[in-house]
Amino acid sequence: MIKVSETAKKKVVQLMTEDGYNAVTDYVRVGVKSGGCSGLSYDLKFDKDQIDGDKVFEDNGVKIIIDKKSFLYLIGTTLEYSGGLNGTGFVFNNPNANRTCGCGESFSL
């Protein structure tokens, strides 16, 4: 399961609305792909549809879908949003990551 912080929820709802998605019925698709300076990088986008094999979760009013390959990498992750001086954007606090890069957008196990 992925948890969603209150600040991330507010930003997700805002961005989904701006992009023409409905935060009540549509999803945040979270995944992992090869790349980034640590080997794996996070992928986050909005989606209206589920695909066979997707895992579906809801936390803090946000519906999340994860493909089954990415699921094992993301168990226990918390999605947060940072708007501080070090940059703005979504942050994945992943307890499974052994190493992350300085920007926080990639990791390795």
XYZ file of all heavy atoms in Angstrom:
829
model
N 0.829 -1.192 0.000
C 0.000 0.000 0.000
C 0.867 1.246 0.000
O 1.931 1.267 0.596
C -0.910 -0.016 1.220
C -1.727 1.204 1.343
S -3.050 0.943 2.537
C -3.717 2.559 2.558
N 0.397 2.268 -0.650
C 1.057 3.576 -0.651
C 0.211 4.532 0.173
O -1.001 4.586 0.027
C 1.221 4.120 -2.080
C 2.235 3.283 -2.827
C 1.626 5.577 -2.067
C 2.568 3.812 -4.195
N 0.872 5.268 1.032
C 0.195 6.283 1.829
C 0.367 7.636 1.137
O 1.339 7.862 0.427
C 0.760 6.314 3.236
C 0.552 5.011 3.982
C 0.479 5.278 5.460
C 0.175 4.023 6.217
N -1.207 3.635 6.189
N -0.585 8.536 1.375
C -0.558 9.873 0.772
C -0.670 10.890 1.895
O -1.637 10.882 2.658
C -1.723 10.054 -0.228
C -1.695 11.442 -0.840
C -1.674 8.984 -1.307
N 0.332 11.778 2.006
C 0.288 12.814 3.043
C -0.779 13.847 2.697
O -1.257 13.925 1.556
C 1.649 13.495 3.170
O 1.880 14.343 2.057
N -1.135 14.643 3.667
C -2.160 15.675 3.462
C -1.704 16.707 2.425
O -2.496 17.133 1.580
C -2.493 16.350 4.797
C -3.671 17.293 4.727
C -4.994 16.614 4.350
O -5.195 15.432 4.675
O -5.834 17.279 3.710
N -0.426 17.115 2.469
C 0.059 18.100 1.492
C 0.075 17.511 0.085
O -0.245 18.202 -0.880
C 1.458 18.634 1.864
O 2.357 17.532 2.021
C 1.432 19.449 3.128
N 0.430 16.225 -0.044
C 0.413 15.578 -1.360
C -1.017 15.467 -1.874
O -1.268 15.679 -3.060
C 1.066 14.203 -1.282
N -1.946 15.154 -0.988
C -3.351 15.049 -1.395
C -3.840 16.373 -1.973
O -4.468 16.408 -3.033
C -4.220 14.657 -0.205
C -5.699 14.686 -0.526
C -6.551 14.553 0.704
C -8.012 14.742 0.348
N -8.895 14.624 1.504
N -3.563 17.460 -1.288
C -4.017 18.770 -1.761
C -3.447 19.086 -3.140
O -4.149 19.590 -4.017
C -3.613 19.859 -0.762
C -4.411 19.813 0.525
C -3.920 20.850 1.512
C -4.664 20.730 2.838
N -4.137 21.623 3.861
N -2.165 18.777 -3.332
C -1.530 19.066 -4.618
C -2.058 18.143 -5.713
O -2.283 18.578 -6.847
C -0.008 18.941 -4.498
C 0.715 19.549 -5.664
C 0.451 21.045 -5.755
C 1.260 21.696 -6.842
N 1.023 23.140 -6.919
N -2.282 16.861 -5.393
C -2.843 15.927 -6.366
C -4.211 16.404 -6.826
O -4.500 16.447 -8.029
C -2.936 14.495 -5.766
C -3.879 13.624 -6.563
C -1.559 13.860 -5.703
N -5.070 16.772 -5.897
C -6.418 17.236 -6.238
C -6.336 18.480 -7.124
O -7.038 18.583 -8.135
C -7.254 17.498 -4.967
C -8.552 18.202 -5.295
C -7.523 16.183 -4.231
N -5.465 19.416 -6.775
C -5.307 20.637 -7.563
C -4.841 20.317 -8.985
O -5.424 20.795 -9.960
C -4.294 21.565 -6.889
C -3.977 22.801 -7.707
C -2.747 23.544 -7.204
O -2.298 23.351 -6.084
N -2.194 24.380 -8.053
N -3.799 19.483 -9.105
C -3.256 19.180 -10.426
C -4.218 18.345 -11.269
O -4.328 18.559 -12.476
C -1.914 18.450 -10.284
C -0.770 19.296 -9.726
C 0.452 18.434 -9.472
C -0.438 20.461 -10.650
N -4.920 17.403 -10.630
C -5.898 16.612 -11.376
C -6.994 17.503 -11.944
O -7.374 17.364 -13.108
C -6.505 15.526 -10.480
C -5.566 14.385 -10.183
S -6.329 13.085 -9.183
C -6.995 12.031 -10.484
N -7.476 18.436 -11.137
C -8.520 19.351 -11.583
C -8.022 20.214 -12.739
O -8.713 20.378 -13.747
C -8.992 20.229 -10.408
O -9.448 19.371 -9.357
C -10.100 21.165 -10.825
N -6.804 20.734 -12.617
C -6.226 21.564 -13.674
C -6.059 20.791 -14.978
O -6.153 21.360 -16.063
C -4.874 22.124 -13.237
C -4.968 23.191 -12.163
C -3.609 23.618 -11.627
O -2.559 23.120 -12.106
O -3.595 24.449 -10.696
N -5.780 19.470 -14.875
C -5.559 18.646 -16.061
C -6.832 17.978 -16.590
O -6.770 17.139 -17.482
C -4.514 17.562 -15.764
C -3.097 18.122 -15.689
O -2.901 19.321 -15.963
O -2.176 17.346 -15.359
N -7.990 18.315 -16.002
C -9.247 17.779 -16.497
C -9.626 16.417 -15.940
O -10.480 15.724 -16.490
N -8.990 16.013 -14.852
C -9.327 14.753 -14.194
C -10.211 15.023 -12.992
O -10.199 16.115 -12.433
C -8.055 14.021 -13.739
C -7.237 13.477 -14.875
C -6.267 14.260 -15.492
C -7.425 12.179 -15.331
C -5.506 13.768 -16.544
C -6.675 11.673 -16.375
C -5.719 12.470 -16.970
O -4.976 11.973 -18.007
N -10.946 14.011 -12.573
C -11.801 14.107 -11.401
C -11.118 13.346 -10.262
O -10.962 12.123 -10.334
C -13.170 13.503 -11.711
C -14.135 13.631 -10.557
O -13.754 13.711 -9.400
N -15.413 13.629 -10.877
N -10.727 14.043 -9.223
C -9.998 13.424 -8.108
C -10.834 12.403 -7.351
O -10.291 11.572 -6.628
C -9.487 14.504 -7.154
N -12.145 12.428 -7.532
C -13.019 11.469 -6.840
C -13.096 10.148 -7.599
O -13.126 9.078 -6.991
C -14.430 12.075 -6.646
C -15.384 11.062 -6.040
C -14.361 13.326 -5.785
N -13.090 10.205 -8.929
C -13.279 8.988 -9.722
C -12.033 8.512 -10.465
O -11.930 7.344 -10.813
C -14.396 9.191 -10.762
O -14.041 10.299 -11.605
C -15.724 9.474 -10.079
N -11.079 9.396 -10.733
C -9.880 9.032 -11.487
C -8.740 8.660 -10.545
O -8.854 8.761 -9.333
C -9.479 10.183 -12.419
C -10.542 10.447 -13.484
O -11.251 9.501 -13.870
O -10.671 11.605 -13.909
N -7.624 8.240 -11.129
C -6.532 7.642 -10.357
C -5.214 8.392 -10.518
O -4.975 9.042 -11.530
C -6.284 6.204 -10.830
C -7.503 5.333 -10.787
C -8.313 5.194 -11.911
C -7.851 4.650 -9.633
C -9.437 4.381 -11.890
C -8.967 3.832 -9.597
C -9.757 3.705 -10.731
O -10.865 2.905 -10.700
N -4.356 8.185 -9.537
C -2.951 8.540 -9.657
C -2.236 7.229 -9.940
O -2.310 6.288 -9.142
C -2.400 9.181 -8.360
C -0.915 9.440 -8.487
C -3.156 10.463 -8.039
N -1.582 7.144 -11.089
C -0.832 5.931 -11.441
C 0.620 6.147 -11.010
O 1.276 7.073 -11.454
C -0.908 5.644 -12.939
C -0.126 4.394 -13.330
C -0.338 4.024 -14.774
N -1.669 3.510 -15.027
C -2.067 2.263 -14.757
N -1.233 1.412 -14.195
N -3.298 1.885 -15.044
N 1.092 5.270 -10.132
C 2.452 5.341 -9.629
C 3.195 4.106 -10.112
O 2.674 2.987 -10.042
C 2.474 5.403 -8.083
C 3.897 5.488 -7.570
C 1.662 6.592 -7.589
N 4.408 4.298 -10.608
C 5.185 3.174 -11.098
C 6.669 3.388 -10.926
O 7.125 4.429 -10.462
N 7.403 2.371 -11.305
C 8.863 2.390 -11.255
C 9.357 1.994 -12.630
O 8.821 1.079 -13.257
C 9.381 1.384 -10.193
C 10.886 1.254 -10.254
C 8.938 1.803 -8.808
N 10.365 2.703 -13.120
C 10.957 2.360 -14.411
C 12.469 2.436 -14.313
O 13.011 3.059 -13.399
C 10.424 3.286 -15.502
C 10.705 4.748 -15.269
C 10.060 5.611 -16.337
C 10.333 7.084 -16.041
N 9.730 7.957 -17.021
N 13.149 1.788 -15.234
C 14.607 1.834 -15.263
C 15.046 3.238 -15.639
O 14.445 3.885 -16.483
C 15.153 0.850 -16.294
O 14.861 -0.457 -15.916
N 16.116 3.687 -14.981
C 16.659 4.992 -15.301
C 16.979 5.793 -14.059
O 16.841 5.307 -12.940
N 17.423 6.987 -14.261
C 17.816 7.838 -13.145
C 19.234 7.527 -12.714
O 19.811 6.512 -13.089
N 19.789 8.363 -11.894
C 21.185 8.208 -11.507
C 21.409 7.081 -10.496
O 22.532 6.661 -10.287
C 21.751 9.529 -10.987
S 20.731 10.358 -9.786
N 20.354 6.540 -9.906
C 20.511 5.429 -8.965
C 20.003 4.102 -9.526
O 20.016 3.096 -8.833
C 19.784 5.737 -7.650
O 20.432 6.779 -6.967
N 19.516 4.079 -10.758
C 19.120 2.827 -11.387
C 17.633 2.683 -11.653
O 17.224 2.140 -12.662
N 16.787 3.136 -10.736
C 15.341 3.079 -10.903
C 14.771 4.455 -10.633
O 15.270 5.175 -9.768
C 14.715 2.073 -9.925
C 15.128 0.616 -10.089
C 14.656 -0.204 -8.893
C 14.561 0.042 -11.372
N 13.720 4.818 -11.346
C 13.104 6.120 -11.091
C 11.596 5.953 -10.942
O 11.006 4.987 -11.422
C 13.435 7.118 -12.196
O 12.933 6.691 -13.429
N 11.005 6.901 -10.258
C 9.567 6.888 -10.014
C 8.840 7.516 -11.191
O 9.356 8.425 -11.845
C 9.241 7.682 -8.744
C 9.873 7.116 -7.503
C 10.962 7.739 -6.912
C 9.381 5.955 -6.918
C 11.544 7.226 -5.766
C 9.963 5.428 -5.769
C 11.040 6.068 -5.206
O 11.613 5.554 -4.072
N 7.637 7.038 -11.437
C 6.791 7.568 -12.500
C 5.426 7.856 -11.884
O 4.857 6.992 -11.206
C 6.686 6.534 -13.621
C 6.003 7.088 -14.857
O 6.159 8.285 -15.144
O 5.322 6.300 -15.546
N 4.919 9.036 -12.079
C 3.636 9.429 -11.514
C 2.851 10.165 -12.586
O 3.366 11.102 -13.195
C 3.874 10.336 -10.300
C 2.645 10.736 -9.505
C 2.975 10.723 -8.015
C 2.170 12.107 -9.893
N 1.625 9.705 -12.840
C 0.761 10.377 -13.810
C -0.685 10.106 -13.432
O -0.973 9.277 -12.575
C 1.058 9.916 -15.233
C 0.909 8.434 -15.461
C 1.395 8.065 -16.839
C 1.450 6.560 -17.009
N 2.059 6.156 -18.241
N -1.597 10.798 -14.077
C -3.020 10.609 -13.817
C -3.588 9.665 -14.864
O -3.123 9.609 -15.999
C -3.748 11.944 -13.831
C -3.165 12.938 -12.866
C -2.859 14.216 -13.277
C -2.901 12.591 -11.553
C -2.309 15.143 -12.401
C -2.357 13.502 -10.665
C -2.061 14.782 -11.089
N -4.622 8.922 -14.465
C -5.203 7.930 -15.361
C -6.685 7.781 -15.043
O -7.085 7.867 -13.884
C -4.487 6.589 -15.162
C -4.590 5.674 -16.365
O -5.576 5.775 -17.121
O -3.678 4.851 -16.550
N -7.470 7.524 -16.071
C -8.899 7.314 -15.885
C -9.250 5.822 -15.823
O -10.328 5.467 -15.399
C -9.688 7.971 -17.021
C -9.600 9.485 -17.004
C -10.429 10.082 -18.125
C -10.324 11.593 -18.127
N -11.131 12.226 -17.109
N -8.330 4.962 -16.261
C -8.637 3.545 -16.400
C -7.629 2.656 -15.678
O -6.447 2.974 -15.608
C -8.640 3.155 -17.880
C -9.640 3.966 -18.682
O -10.818 4.016 -18.265
O -9.237 4.560 -19.701
N -8.119 1.519 -15.221
C -7.270 0.472 -14.676
C -6.903 -0.489 -15.802
O -7.631 -0.625 -16.771
C -8.018 -0.318 -13.610
C -8.374 0.465 -12.378
C -9.125 -0.414 -11.390
O -8.835 -1.588 -11.226
N -10.131 0.161 -10.744
N -5.782 -1.168 -15.631
C -5.333 -2.196 -16.561
C -5.324 -3.516 -15.797
O -5.069 -3.541 -14.585
C -3.920 -1.862 -17.095
C -3.941 -0.530 -17.854
C -3.385 -2.969 -17.970
C -2.569 -0.007 -18.224
N -5.582 -4.619 -16.487
C -5.541 -5.932 -15.822
C -4.235 -6.100 -15.060
O -3.156 -5.815 -15.585
C -5.668 -7.063 -16.850
C -7.094 -7.288 -17.291
O -8.020 -6.790 -16.619
O -7.283 -7.960 -18.314
N -4.334 -6.533 -13.835
C -3.159 -6.754 -13.004
C -2.797 -5.567 -12.123
O -1.939 -5.688 -11.258
N -3.418 -4.414 -12.330
C -3.139 -3.251 -11.490
C -3.577 -3.519 -10.051
O -4.601 -4.158 -9.816
C -3.910 -2.017 -11.974
C -3.250 -1.320 -13.144
O -2.069 -1.584 -13.426
O -3.936 -0.496 -13.784
N -2.811 -3.031 -9.113
C -3.202 -3.022 -7.708
C -3.847 -1.664 -7.450
O -3.335 -0.635 -7.878
C -1.984 -3.192 -6.792
C -1.177 -4.443 -7.050
C -1.858 -5.636 -6.474
C -0.951 -6.851 -6.603
N -1.589 -8.054 -6.143
N -4.970 -1.661 -6.759
C -5.706 -0.428 -6.503
C -5.754 -0.174 -5.006
O -6.077 -1.071 -4.229
C -7.138 -0.515 -7.060
C -7.891 0.783 -6.819
C -7.126 -0.859 -8.545
N -5.404 1.042 -4.613
C -5.417 1.460 -3.214
C -6.101 2.805 -3.104
O -6.170 3.547 -4.075
C -3.989 1.612 -2.667
C -3.155 0.384 -2.782
C -2.267 0.233 -3.818
C -3.259 -0.622 -1.839
C -1.489 -0.900 -3.935
C -2.491 -1.755 -1.934
C -1.608 -1.900 -2.986
N -6.544 3.114 -1.918
C -7.043 4.459 -1.646
C -6.527 4.863 -0.284
O -6.639 4.112 0.686
C -8.563 4.510 -1.677
C -9.079 5.929 -1.534
C -10.561 6.063 -1.841
O -11.137 5.177 -2.470
O -11.132 7.089 -1.423
N -5.919 6.028 -0.219
C -5.462 6.568 1.053
C -5.701 8.064 1.062
O -5.411 8.750 0.081
C -3.969 6.271 1.284
C -3.527 6.693 2.673
O -4.079 6.154 3.656
O -2.653 7.576 2.790
N -6.242 8.552 2.148
C -6.473 9.982 2.325
C -7.320 10.558 1.191
O -7.120 11.690 0.764
C -5.128 10.712 2.456
C -5.248 12.017 3.195
O -6.298 12.373 3.713
N -4.156 12.752 3.248
N -8.237 9.733 0.668
C -9.129 10.201 -0.390
C -8.534 10.193 -1.781
O -9.159 10.665 -2.722
N -7.324 9.660 -1.950
C -6.670 9.609 -3.257
C -6.644 8.159 -3.721
O -6.176 7.279 -2.998
C -5.226 10.166 -3.186
C -4.524 10.021 -4.519
C -5.240 11.626 -2.749
N -7.148 7.918 -4.934
C -7.135 6.574 -5.514
C -5.823 6.383 -6.272
O -5.481 7.190 -7.132
C -8.317 6.384 -6.454
C -9.640 6.401 -5.732
C -10.769 6.191 -6.704
C -12.088 6.203 -5.960
N -13.213 5.899 -6.817
N -5.141 5.296 -5.950
C -3.825 5.021 -6.530
C -3.868 3.674 -7.229
O -4.397 2.706 -6.689
C -2.754 4.997 -5.431
C -2.694 6.352 -4.733
C -1.392 4.617 -6.006
C -1.907 6.343 -3.462
N -3.285 3.619 -8.430
C -3.112 2.339 -9.105
C -1.631 2.124 -9.387
O -0.896 3.070 -9.694
C -3.943 2.221 -10.396
C -3.797 3.435 -11.296
C -5.385 1.972 -10.094
C -4.583 3.338 -12.592
N -1.215 0.878 -9.229
C 0.187 0.498 -9.427
C 0.212 -0.772 -10.264
O -0.502 -1.727 -9.959
C 0.880 0.218 -8.076
C 0.738 1.395 -7.131
C 2.353 -0.125 -8.283
C 1.193 1.103 -5.713
N 1.049 -0.802 -11.299
C 1.184 -2.028 -12.070
C 1.885 -3.078 -11.210
O 2.598 -2.759 -10.267
C 1.957 -1.780 -13.377
C 3.389 -1.375 -13.121
O 4.245 -2.268 -13.019
O 3.647 -0.147 -13.022
N 1.665 -4.350 -11.531
C 2.165 -5.388 -10.621
C 3.683 -5.470 -10.570
O 4.230 -5.872 -9.559
C 1.531 -6.742 -10.878
C 1.655 -7.341 -12.189
C 0.935 -8.683 -12.205
C 0.741 -9.119 -13.644
N 0.130 -10.393 -13.778
N 4.404 -5.065 -11.609
C 5.873 -5.061 -11.550
C 6.379 -4.025 -10.545
O 7.316 -4.263 -9.803
C 6.478 -4.755 -12.914
C 6.492 -5.911 -13.861
C 7.236 -5.520 -15.117
C 7.252 -6.666 -16.105
N 7.941 -6.295 -17.342
N 5.758 -2.862 -10.541
C 6.198 -1.777 -9.657
C 5.779 -1.987 -8.209
O 6.405 -1.459 -7.299
C 5.627 -0.442 -10.144
O 6.081 -0.137 -11.434
N 4.723 -2.758 -8.006
C 4.144 -2.919 -6.676
C 5.177 -3.352 -5.629
O 5.251 -2.781 -4.544
C 2.983 -3.914 -6.734
C 2.392 -4.231 -5.400
C 1.673 -3.272 -4.695
C 2.561 -5.486 -4.829
C 1.129 -3.562 -3.452
C 2.019 -5.776 -3.593
C 1.305 -4.820 -2.908
N 6.000 -4.338 -5.953
C 6.972 -4.850 -4.975
C 8.001 -3.793 -4.566
O 8.488 -3.803 -3.447
C 7.677 -6.086 -5.516
C 6.769 -7.294 -5.715
C 7.534 -8.423 -6.394
C 6.173 -7.755 -4.402
N 8.323 -2.883 -5.471
C 9.287 -1.818 -5.171
C 8.687 -0.722 -4.292
O 9.407 0.031 -3.656
C 9.784 -1.158 -6.458
C 10.570 -2.052 -7.362
C 10.039 -2.483 -8.568
C 11.858 -2.463 -7.039
C 10.759 -3.302 -9.423
C 12.591 -3.282 -7.878
C 12.034 -3.697 -9.062
O 12.751 -4.504 -9.896
N 7.360 -0.620 -4.292
C 6.700 0.531 -3.669
C 5.945 0.227 -2.384
O 5.367 1.131 -1.786
C 5.736 1.165 -4.679
C 6.399 1.742 -5.925
C 5.361 2.115 -6.963
C 7.260 2.939 -5.568
N 5.944 -1.019 -1.934
C 5.217 -1.375 -0.713
C 5.709 -0.511 0.445
O 6.906 -0.407 0.699
C 5.408 -2.867 -0.376
C 4.754 -3.730 -1.443
C 4.834 -3.195 0.994
C 5.060 -5.209 -1.306
N 4.780 0.133 1.126
C 5.117 0.937 2.296
C 5.555 2.358 2.008
O 5.890 3.113 2.918
N 5.534 2.766 0.753
C 5.979 4.108 0.369
C 4.934 5.149 0.750
O 3.738 4.899 0.695
C 6.238 4.159 -1.156
O 7.300 3.259 -1.466
C 6.605 5.555 -1.625
N 5.411 6.322 1.131
C 4.532 7.461 1.394
C 4.808 8.532 0.340
O 5.956 8.920 0.129
C 4.773 8.044 2.797
O 4.524 7.040 3.764
C 3.868 9.240 3.067
N 3.745 8.977 -0.305
C 3.846 10.060 -1.275
C 3.646 11.371 -0.538
O 2.641 11.564 0.140
C 2.783 9.896 -2.364
C 2.724 10.979 -3.438
C 4.027 11.006 -4.242
C 1.539 10.758 -4.354
N 4.638 12.247 -0.658
C 4.565 13.555 -0.011
C 4.795 14.631 -1.060
O 5.226 14.344 -2.169
C 5.602 13.640 1.113
C 5.353 12.603 2.187
C 6.197 12.810 3.422
O 6.630 13.942 3.672
O 6.423 11.818 4.124
N 4.515 15.858 -0.678
C 4.761 16.987 -1.563
C 5.569 18.014 -0.799
O 5.223 18.391 0.315
C 3.452 17.613 -2.058
C 3.703 18.716 -3.056
C 3.966 18.426 -4.386
C 3.706 20.046 -2.655
C 4.215 19.433 -5.294
C 3.959 21.059 -3.564
C 4.219 20.743 -4.877
O 4.490 21.754 -5.771
N 6.655 18.453 -1.416
C 7.523 19.439 -0.785
C 7.474 20.726 -1.586
O 7.636 20.715 -2.804
C 8.968 18.913 -0.743
O 9.833 19.924 -0.275
N 7.258 21.813 -0.894
C 7.232 23.113 -1.554
C 8.279 24.035 -0.961
O 8.155 25.239 -1.032
N 9.338 23.475 -0.404
C 10.338 24.251 0.316
C 11.402 24.870 -0.569
O 11.342 24.838 -1.799
N 12.413 25.417 0.069
C 13.495 26.108 -0.624
C 14.342 25.173 -1.472
O 14.986 25.599 -2.424
C 14.394 26.820 0.396
C 13.731 27.957 1.166
C 14.668 28.481 2.239
C 13.331 29.080 0.230
N 14.383 23.887 -1.134
C 15.194 22.934 -1.889
C 14.499 22.454 -3.160
O 14.971 21.551 -3.811
C 15.545 21.725 -1.016
C 16.481 22.097 0.101
O 17.227 23.059 -0.008
N 16.443 21.342 1.183
N 13.405 23.023 -3.491
C 12.682 22.635 -4.697
C 11.283 22.181 -4.366
O 10.969 21.849 -3.230
N 10.438 22.177 -5.375
C 9.068 21.744 -5.168
C 8.810 20.497 -5.985
O 9.410 20.288 -7.033
C 8.067 22.839 -5.588
O 8.264 23.130 -6.969
C 8.233 24.094 -4.768
N 7.927 19.676 -5.488
C 7.552 18.486 -6.221
C 7.166 17.358 -5.299
O 7.254 17.463 -4.069
N 6.738 16.267 -5.911
C 6.361 15.091 -5.144
C 7.605 14.352 -4.701
O 8.593 14.273 -5.431
C 5.452 14.189 -5.975
C 4.089 14.769 -6.180
C 3.766 15.400 -7.363
C 3.138 14.709 -5.175
C 2.509 15.952 -7.552
C 1.880 15.264 -5.349
C 1.568 15.887 -6.541
N 7.542 13.828 -3.497
C 8.655 13.101 -2.895
C 8.143 11.724 -2.497
O 7.090 11.608 -1.876
C 9.196 13.846 -1.648
C 10.295 13.050 -0.978
C 9.667 15.239 -2.020
N 8.900 10.698 -2.847
C 8.555 9.323 -2.479
C 9.437 8.910 -1.310
O 10.646 8.789 -1.464
C 8.792 8.379 -3.657
C 7.876 8.618 -4.815
C 8.180 9.573 -5.778
C 6.712 7.897 -4.943
C 7.331 9.783 -6.850
C 5.855 8.103 -6.014
C 6.171 9.055 -6.972
N 8.845 8.698 -0.150
C 9.574 8.172 0.998
C 9.404 6.665 0.981
O 8.404 6.134 1.443
C 9.067 8.780 2.303
C 9.520 10.211 2.458
O 10.598 10.574 2.005
N 8.693 11.035 3.054
N 10.403 5.991 0.411
C 10.334 4.566 0.150
C 11.231 3.800 1.125
O 12.454 3.892 1.045
C 10.762 4.299 -1.294
C 10.583 2.876 -1.712
O 10.439 1.979 -0.900
N 10.604 2.650 -3.018
N 10.641 3.019 2.038
C 11.449 2.281 3.008
C 12.245 1.147 2.368
O 13.159 0.609 2.986
C 10.403 1.724 3.979
C 9.159 1.601 3.169
C 9.209 2.758 2.204
N 11.946 0.777 1.136
C 12.644 -0.305 0.446
C 13.916 0.165 -0.251
O 14.734 -0.661 -0.649
C 11.720 -0.946 -0.605
C 10.424 -1.409 0.009
O 10.413 -2.183 0.940
N 9.317 -0.899 -0.505
N 14.084 1.467 -0.415
C 15.237 2.008 -1.140
C 16.477 1.979 -0.255
O 16.475 2.508 0.851
C 14.945 3.428 -1.598
N 17.536 1.345 -0.758
C 18.807 1.329 -0.033
C 19.622 2.582 -0.302
O 20.413 3.010 0.523
C 19.642 0.108 -0.451
C 19.061 -1.178 0.077
O 18.388 -1.191 1.094
N 19.307 -2.266 -0.628
N 19.423 3.141 -1.497
C 20.190 4.315 -1.886
C 19.309 5.189 -2.758
O 18.573 4.697 -3.596
C 21.415 3.855 -2.684
C 22.406 4.911 -3.006
C 23.640 4.293 -3.642
N 23.271 3.384 -4.715
C 23.720 3.490 -5.961
N 24.549 4.430 -6.290
N 23.336 2.630 -6.895
N 19.368 6.496 -2.538
C 18.636 7.432 -3.389
C 19.604 8.476 -3.913
O 20.682 8.671 -3.362
C 17.506 8.144 -2.613
O 18.079 8.860 -1.522
C 16.477 7.157 -2.102
N 19.211 9.141 -4.972
C 20.044 10.199 -5.513
C 19.738 11.513 -4.789
O 18.788 11.604 -4.028
C 19.812 10.333 -7.014
S 18.165 10.921 -7.423
N 20.520 12.520 -5.063
C 20.339 13.804 -4.409
C 19.020 14.472 -4.712
O 18.456 15.166 -3.869
N 18.481 14.244 -5.895
C 17.206 14.880 -6.255
C 16.004 14.111 -5.728
O 14.899 14.625 -5.747
C 17.101 15.045 -7.779
S 17.020 13.470 -8.679
N 16.217 12.871 -5.273
C 15.124 12.072 -4.711
C 14.208 11.457 -5.739
O 13.174 10.894 -5.401
N 14.559 11.534 -7.018
C 13.702 10.994 -8.061
C 14.109 9.606 -8.508
O 13.426 8.985 -9.310
C 13.677 11.940 -9.260
C 12.994 13.257 -8.930
C 12.973 14.226 -10.094
O 13.305 13.805 -11.218
O 12.629 15.383 -9.877
N 15.247 9.107 -8.028
C 15.628 7.738 -8.378
C 16.187 7.044 -7.152
O 16.550 7.665 -6.160
C 16.642 7.739 -9.536
O 17.862 8.284 -9.147
N 16.239 5.698 -7.241
C 16.661 4.908 -6.090
C 17.175 3.560 -6.562
O 17.055 3.193 -7.719
C 15.485 4.707 -5.127
C 14.382 3.832 -5.663
C 14.279 2.510 -5.259
C 13.454 4.327 -6.561
C 13.261 1.702 -5.755
C 12.432 3.525 -7.055
C 12.348 2.204 -6.649
N 17.775 2.824 -5.642
C 18.174 1.452 -5.910
C 17.830 0.615 -4.685
O 17.653 1.139 -3.581
C 19.663 1.356 -6.213
O 20.426 1.690 -5.080
N 17.725 -0.682 -4.894
C 17.383 -1.598 -3.812
C 18.596 -2.359 -3.340
O 19.515 -2.584 -4.024
C 16.316 -2.589 -4.267
C 14.994 -1.936 -4.679
C 14.028 -3.000 -5.172
C 14.355 -1.205 -3.521
